[in-house]
Amino acid sequence: MSKGNIAEKKPAVIELAAGTYYWCSCGDSKGQPFCDGAHKGTEFRPQKLVVEQPTKMALCNCKQTGSAPTCDGSHCDL
Ligand code: FES
């Protein structure tokens, strides 16, 4: 599967409450880093993220990460 479009060349570092989230893999969501349905009609699908307890995470916004949905530093090479 190909990589999504670059939404931003830095991760979204955010506090997440416990719950279920859907990370945007296509890069076209207007609500980065989460899916807003913009992937419809493409090969991309959102990636489910289940958070058990409140936590701070760095979610990939460049969509080139090898450890989706989290940042692996790939944006540094763009
Ligand atoms: S909008 Fe990008 S995966 Fe859904």
Side-chain angles (χ1 to χ4, degrees), residues 7-67:
E8 198 171 1
K9 292 183 181 177
K10 63 179 183 182
V13 180
I14 48 179
E15 297 275 355
L16 295 173
T20 301
Y21 300 86
Y22 291 89
W23 175 76
C24 169
S25 65
C26 74
D28 293 335
S29 171
K30 298 281 189 268
Q32 293 296 331
F34 303 112
C35 174
D36 71 354
H39 64 272
K40 287 196 174 88
T42 73
E43 66 181 301
F44 294 96
R45 298 291 177 271
Q47 181 166 323
K48 187 177 181 180
L49 168 64
V50 177
V51 175
E52 303 288 348
Q53 56 189 356
T55 188
K56 190 174 190 177
M57 296 186 77
L59 296 177
C60 174
N61 264 342
C62 76
K63 313 305 175 184
Q64 313 304 302
T65 183
S67 62

